[in-house]
Amino acid sequence: METLDFRFDSAPVLRAADPALCGVVGSGNLEILVKAGDQPAACAVRIKTSARGFGETWRAVLGSFAATHPAGGTAIAINDMGATPAVVSLRLAQALAEYRGGAQ
């Protein structure tokens, strides 16, 4: 297992559900928990992953997500079992939508 921590500047998100959970921990998938964070204009992300050595890939996928979705004011916890970047992006969007009360 590897634990990675990132922080990204991002526009603030309005929350409706706290926390919001999406996905499952299983081969090729992941679960994401979104809860309120400490900084309104940033999101903090902690990843526990079974796939070692993919820190820069995680940074790129999460950085793109934070730049295109308002995720500021969140703390995101990810438990990963080898999800692909496409699955990560999909689950992040689903978890954030749930956090926002199902709004897109």
Side-chain angles (χ1 to χ4, degrees):
M1 293 295 284
E2 184 173 23
T3 300
L4 304 166
D5 289 295
F6 298 103
R7 180 192 166 281
F8 301 95
D9 293 336
S10 187
V13 63
L14 298 176
R15 68 178 164 152
D18 187 28
L21 180 65
C22 185
V24 295
V25 179
S27 182
N29 212 327
L30 72 164
E31 71 176 0
I32 298 176
L33 176 69
V34 181
K35 62 182 184 178
D38 297 339
Q39 302 173 13
C43 71
V45 183
R46 171 166 279 188
I47 303 152
K48 293 184 180 180
T49 179
S50 62
R52 300 178 70 79
F54 289 91
E56 289 309 310
T57 301
W58 278 105
R59 182 184 305 279
V61 171
L62 296 169
S64 176
F65 180 81
T68 57
H69 294 80
T74 63
I76 298 173
I78 298 174
N79 293 314
D80 173 55
M81 289 292 289
T84 64
V87 171
V88 172
S89 295
L90 172 66
R91 293 285 182 236
L92 281 167
Q94 290 173 328
L96 193 60
E98 181 70 23
Y99 185 76
R100 294 171 49 201
Q104 292 292 324

